[in-house]
Amino acid sequence: MLTVNAIAAPSATEPLVRTTIERRDLGPRDVLIEITYAGICHSDIHTVRGEWGKVPYPLTVGHEIVGHVTEVGAEVTRHAVGDRVGVGCMVNSCRECENCKAGMEQYCLDGNTGTYAAVDKDGTVTQGGYSTHIVVVEDFVLRVPESIPHEAAAPLLCAGITTYSPLAHWKAGPGKKVAVVGLGGLGHMGVKIAVAMGAEVTVLSQTLSKKDEGLAFGAQHYHATGDPATFETLKNTFDLIINTVSAPIDMGAYLSLLRLDGTFVSVGAPPEPLPIQVFTLFNNRRSFAGSSIGGIAETQEMLDFCAERGIAPQVEVISADEVNDAYERVLKSDVRYRFVIDIASLR
Ligand code: NAP
Ligand code: ZN
Ligand code: ZN
């Protein structure tokens, strides 16, 4: 066992505190990673605050992890000491079900093993990336291209892949009108990736306060959802809407923005249900869908795509002691556009 420094949530209502956690001894196919940066995803906040259900406290969250390999097990072939690597939202899956075999481990029929708050194969509870080191089986470790700045690479492991996957699946590209709802961590990556795929991109944000930045990320259009006129102006417009909002929204209003055969995909994960009036789906033969992160091969494809296109998240680097304040800012939509913890501050 390796005892390492970390930050953990003691309960749903207390601030995160410095602590130590245990990492397992290296198995033959495991990789030991010294973490350099860890992103703060809104899912970390939903989880530690118990919004999605029961949580095994104390819990260390964090599933946007980058670092260097410092040790490998005897049978490891995919990674070597010194490699620049990343870990996202899952650290294992059954590998045998039809979804795993199709490269979609996130949809493992046995349930993938989440990077935190999941029961690992050895029966222990997984602990996430707000820590100095992590041990992960080699197949769930990604190669992070050198051209992506290290701190900016971290959010690609969740925010990047979670937006890339539905954009690729629903074929965002030339001739397609794509709207991204919510310009936060996921949203700003959704905009950059959809633009790089060649789509015509509209940001739908609560206000126009981030308009200049949204347009600088490459969006062609930007509208405030706080203005009811937006829903009149944009009626029957989009082929694809990617919703990244962490809270419930008025589904009828957003579905009415889809043109014929358009699809509304929610990656945003509010704890509350999103009620839908089916007649809104009958009109224009609309679809309502969800999407969860992406498979391991697809995550590698996304990292390589971002490196080739020169796309990276816009991050604000903070120390371990600033995480609780950062959570409050995320909750106020005051994030531009991803907080990333400098793990050197935990050593
Ligand atoms: P975030 O940085 O907080 O971004 C969410 C954005 O939604 C905010 O910046 C804000 O954008 C908008 N928003 C917030 N509250 C709102 C409200 N009450 N009404 C309307 N808009 C609101 O969060 P994130 O890290 O991008 O995560 C977004 C959601 O995706 C979370 O629910 C998270 O758990 C989920 N998620 C899902 C997956 C998956 O696999 N499906 C993966 C990662 C995260 P504006 O200021 O521009 O309005
Ligand atoms: Zn996440
Ligand atoms: Zn499986």
Side-chain angles (χ1 to χ4, degrees):
M1 288 282 213
L2 185 64
T3 302
V4 305
N5 291 343
I7 327 172
S11 73
T13 51
E14 291 166 278
L16 276 62
V17 293
R18 283 174 181 259
T19 186
T20 57
I21 56 172
E22 305 291 330
R23 295 301 190 188
R24 66 170 178 260
D25 288 331
L26 224 57
R29 300 206 50 218
D30 281 340
V31 169
L32 174 65
I33 300 166
E34 185 176 87
I35 301 174
T36 48
Y37 295 96
I40 294 179
C41 177
H42 205 120
S43 301
D44 302 345
I45 306 177
H46 288 305
T47 301
V48 298
R49 304 217 166 166
E51 294 171 15
W52 285 345
K54 218 165 164 287
V55 178
Y57 298 108
L59 181 70
T60 293
V61 291
H63 57 206
E64 294 184 335
I65 301 168
V66 291
H68 295 103
V69 175
T70 52
E71 211 180 318
V72 294
E75 294 168 20
V76 168
T77 57
R78 295 165 69 104
H79 307 285
V81 170
D83 283 0
R84 207 168 185 251
V85 292
V87 177
C89 302
M90 54 186 174
V91 289
N92 220 331
S93 72
C94 87
R95 301 146 186 258
E96 286 167 1
C97 73
E98 61 176 329
N99 293 355
C100 281
K101 281 187 176 151
M104 286 179 279
E105 302 87 354
Q106 75 275 33
Y107 302 122
C108 176
L109 296 173
D110 207 23
N112 72 63
T113 307
T115 303
Y116 55 74
V119 179
D120 212 343
K121 303 282 180 206
D122 62 3
T124 60
V125 172
T126 56
Q127 303 288 340
Y130 298 3
S131 61
T132 56
H133 299 77
I134 190 167
V135 174
V136 180
V137 66
E138 62 168 336
D139 312 302
F140 283 73
V141 175
L142 287 307
R143 295 181 305 279
V144 176
E146 293 292 333
S147 64
I148 306 174
H150 226 180
E151 66 279 11
L156 293 176
L157 277 305
C158 177
I161 184 59
T162 301
T163 48
Y164 180 91
S165 184
L167 286 166
H169 181 75
W170 277 278
K171 301 191 167 44
K176 290 285 178 71
K177 292 186 177 176
V178 174
V180 175
V181 190
L183 195 65
L186 266 57
H188 93 292
M189 282 316 299
V191 170
K192 289 187 178 206
I193 292 169
V195 168
M197 289 176 170
E200 182 179 334
V201 179
T202 298
V203 177
L204 299 176
S205 180
Q206 293 168 94
T207 68
L208 296 179
S209 64
K210 295 177 277 193
K211 183 173 178 182
D212 291 349
E213 281 161 316
L215 297 180
F217 296 148
Q220 284 89 346
H221 317 282
Y222 200 108
H223 295 270
T225 53
D227 178 358
T230 292
F231 292 91
E232 280 308 311
T233 314
L234 298 177
K235 207 170 238 172
N236 306 324
T237 298
F238 300 107
D239 298 289
L240 180 62
I241 300 176
I242 305 285
N243 170 39
T244 74
V245 176
S246 48
I249 55 171
D250 176 354
M251 283 305 302
Y254 286 88
L255 288 171
S256 72
L257 306 183
L258 291 172
R259 73 199 298 185
L260 184 67
D261 288 330
T263 303
F264 177 101
V265 184
S266 197
V267 291
E272 303 84 359
L274 293 176
I276 290 174
Q277 167 58 261
V278 292
F279 293 100
T280 325
L281 295 174
F282 295 174
N283 294 336
N284 276 344
R285 196 165 53 188
R286 296 165 172 140
S287 300
F288 175 50
S291 183
S292 178
I293 50 172
I296 293 297
E298 189 180 34
T299 305
Q300 191 62 58
E301 177 187 301
M302 176 276 309
L303 286 165
D304 297 341
F305 175 90
C306 289
E308 277 162 26
R309 307 300 178 97
I311 300 171
Q314 182 171 319
V315 301
E316 187 174 331
V317 177
I318 59 168
S319 80
D321 296 318
E322 294 172 295
V323 171
N324 291 301
D325 293 337
Y327 274 22
E328 294 309 318
R329 284 184 52 196
V330 171
L331 290 169
K332 283 189 250 162
S333 301
D334 178 22
V335 51
R336 300 211 175 172
Y337 282 84
R338 199 57 141 186
F339 289 108
V340 173
I341 308 165
D342 181 354
I343 297 297
S345 63
L346 264 182
R347 291 190 211 290

